[in-house]
Amino acid sequence: MLEEAQVQAESLCQSSGKQQQDFQRLQDQVQEHTRTSQRQMEGQAGKAQEAIRQLTDWKSQAVDERLEAVQARMEAQEQWVHAKLEEMTSAQQVELEKHVNKVQQIVEDTAVSRERQLQTA
């Protein structure tokens, strides 16, 4: 019976050692899987950050392009307004000169007419 107990004890020890080895192997596999998963998540996070950076760059570029287009439109409108003001000023100046010429002609005609009246009187 003592021998039988010894055999069972040895068998239990061997079984326990094998279970420990199995447990250690499983623990190693879990750790490796955890490291692999962590690397994959870090890679995905890096890709996500790069995608966000790229989208931000595209958005900034689009905003810059729109701003440049608005500025170009404003400059064109400003040039058009200046040209129209110049046209209006030139046209008004021509009209003013015509008016001044008419007034001068009237003044001269009046002076000549008065001089004639004075001479005939």
Side-chain angles (χ1 to χ4, degrees):
M1 186 150 197
L2 184 59
E3 274 183 36
E4 194 176 306
Q6 250 181 339
V7 168
Q8 283 182 350
E10 284 177 13
S11 175
L12 284 174
C13 283
Q14 286 176 353
S15 176
S16 175
K18 186 172 179 344
Q19 286 177 349
Q20 258 186 329
Q21 287 174 348
D22 290 345
F23 176 77
Q24 185 63 42
R25 191 171 3 93
L26 285 173
Q27 193 173 22
D28 290 345
Q29 288 174 352
V30 167
Q31 287 176 349
E32 181 58 32
H33 180 70
T34 301
R35 285 191 294 269
T36 301
S37 295
Q38 187 171 354
R39 281 192 300 271
Q40 288 174 346
M41 287 190 313
E42 288 170 356
Q44 289 172 350
K47 287 177 185 177
Q49 286 175 340
E50 177 59 25
I52 289 169
R53 186 196 62 74
Q54 195 171 33
L55 286 173
T56 303
D57 288 350
W58 288 340
K59 187 176 181 181
S60 294
Q61 184 178 359
V63 168
D64 289 345
E65 288 171 1
R66 277 190 232 136
L67 182 60
E68 287 173 9
V70 167
Q71 286 174 335
R73 256 194 323 268
M74 288 176 62
E75 287 173 8
Q77 287 175 348
E78 185 178 347
Q79 290 173 359
W80 180 84
V81 166
H82 284 300
K84 283 296 178 188
L85 283 174
E86 234 176 80
E87 278 179 32
M88 290 172 60
T89 303
S90 296
Q92 288 173 344
Q93 188 173 359
V94 167
E95 289 299 315
L96 184 59
E97 285 175 5
K98 285 180 185 178
H99 184 66
V100 167
N101 289 338
K102 284 181 185 177
V103 170
Q104 283 176 342
Q105 188 63 45
I106 291 171
V107 168
E108 287 174 14
D109 290 346
T110 305
V112 168
S113 173
R114 202 167 247 206
E115 202 174 301
R116 282 187 195 151
Q117 285 176 354
L118 288 175
Q119 287 176 355
T120 55

